[in-house]
Amino acid sequence: MSQGVGVVGLYVHDQDEALGFYVDKLGFRVHTDARNGDYRWLTVQHPDQPSFQLGLFTPQAPLVDAATAQSLREAVAKGAMPPLVLVVDDCRAAYERFRARGVEFTQEPMTRYGSTDASFRDPSGNGWKMIEARA
C-alpha cells in the first residue's frame, strides 16, 4: 500500500475557464470531472506526474458558507494565495511555449539563486513560479 498526498486543491472562480487554461495553455490532462448537484470535483494532472492531481475547485457549500466563499474568491483574485511551483527542464523555452499559447507572465525568465525562474498567474489570480530544474 502506498500513501501520500494525491490531490492539492486551489480555488478558481470559473472551473470551465480554469480547465481551459490548465489543459490548453499549460498542457495538463483532465483526471476527474464529476458532478454531484451543484458541486463539481474537477482535477487535472501534469502529463509527467500522473500520481498527483491538481484540484480546480470553486469556493462553495458544502465546504464553506456563502460569506466565506465570497471572501475566498476575493483573496484569490488579488493573488493572495501562496504561489504554486512548476518545475521545468528549460525555463526560457517553457516561457516561450506558454506565451505562444496565451499565458500572461508577471515576470520574464530571470537567472538568480543558481537557477532561472519566471512567474505567471492563472485566470483566477493564482500565482505560479516556474523554476528551471537544476542539473
Side-chain angles (χ1 to χ4, degrees):
M1 177 163 91
S2 64
Q3 297 180 1
V5 177
V7 179
V8 169
L10 65 137
Y11 286 128
V12 298
H13 66 263
D14 181 300
Q15 287 178 299
D16 289 324
E17 180 182 46
L19 183 62
F21 178 81
Y22 285 94
V23 170
D24 298 337
K25 295 186 179 187
L26 297 187
F28 284 56
R29 292 186 275 219
V30 175
H31 181 277
T32 304
D33 190 353
R35 295 174 190 263
N36 184 7
D38 290 336
Y39 186 77
R40 182 179 183 190
W41 180 268
L42 177 62
T43 65
V44 294
Q45 54 190 178
H46 190 278
D48 295 333
Q49 198 173 16
S51 64
F52 180 79
Q53 299 170 52
L54 181 63
L56 307 175
F57 306 126
T58 55
Q60 67 186 63
L63 302 177
V64 296
D65 60 50
T68 303
Q70 181 60 33
S71 295
L72 288 168
R73 283 191 291 273
E74 291 170 4
V76 170
K78 292 177 182 178
M81 305 313 256
L84 299 127
V85 177
L86 179 64
V87 179
V88 296
D89 290 329
D90 183 330
C91 187
R92 294 182 193 286
Y95 169 82
E96 293 300 333
R97 186 172 63 251
F98 290 158
R99 267 195 30 178
R101 294 180 189 164
V103 174
E104 295 179 22
F105 281 81
T106 56
Q107 175 208 309
E108 295 182 1
M110 178 180 291
T111 301
R112 57 186 170 179
Y113 313 118
S115 186
T116 302
D117 66 84
S119 299
F120 62 91
R121 291 175 60 173
D122 75 7
S124 294
N126 292 296
W128 279 87
K129 181 61 79 173
M130 185 170 67
I131 299 174
E132 187 170 307
R134 294 184 186 206

